[in-house]
Amino acid sequence: MRTTDKQPRTSPLVPDAVAREISRHDWDSLTCGCGRPAGHLVDTLWDAAEGHPAAFHALEGHAFHTGRLRAPAPAVCGALMAVWSAGPPRQATREALLWALLRLLGTEDDGTSHEAGLYGQCAAHIRAGLPGLRRSTGAPGSVSAAYVEGILRLLDLSD
């Protein structure tokens, strides 16, 4: 059964916009970084959207691995940015989400950052959410602020 054919998942902790972003992808048509169809990432993304910091770290080996982006990376990045836009409530969740975004930008694909390859698609998702990232950096010197600064640097947008 394809992920898109399953009954939609719901959670009172996940805003509708995040649920729509996760469900709009045909995850099973993507080959995950672990070699299986990426449908199993849906549960991880729901856990992330519900605010579980470990879920963001669990994306390693699936959306990115050993310095390279994998096929589900753009869809994962879109879902992560939807979570960010919804405003992750806890500091640990925000930090884990920013860590995952930084990891996505700190990897590479077959093209360059100027092509619409995996990296370019991820960068486009993150650029679209930059106003929210800049507003929510946290206190200067905080982990969140350092992650946002790293994201801006990788996008060549730091001051």
Side-chain angles (χ1 to χ4, degrees), residues 21-118:
E21 180 61 30
I22 293 170
S23 67
R24 78 179 189 88
H25 300 282
D26 182 4
W27 295 96
D28 285 333
S29 71
L30 300 169
T31 302
C32 187
C34 69
R36 299 182 299 163
H40 67 281
L41 291 179
V42 171
D43 288 336
T44 304
L45 290 169
W46 272 89
D47 289 346
E50 288 178 339
H52 304 289
F56 297 96
H57 294 278
L59 294 169
E60 189 157 10
H62 302 279
F64 49 89
H65 184 63
T66 62
R68 304 209 28 104
L69 292 174
R70 304 302 181 193
V76 165
C77 192
L80 296 182
M81 289 309 297
V83 171
W84 183 265
S85 295
R90 297 181 315 152
Q91 179 179 343
T93 303
R94 287 192 309 273
E95 289 174 0
L97 194 158
L98 290 168
W99 171 86
L101 294 175
L102 190 59
R103 290 296 306 240
L104 286 164
L105 285 178
T107 56
E108 61 184 58
D109 69 352
D110 295 343
T112 70
S113 61
H114 305 289
E115 295 176 3
L118 299 175

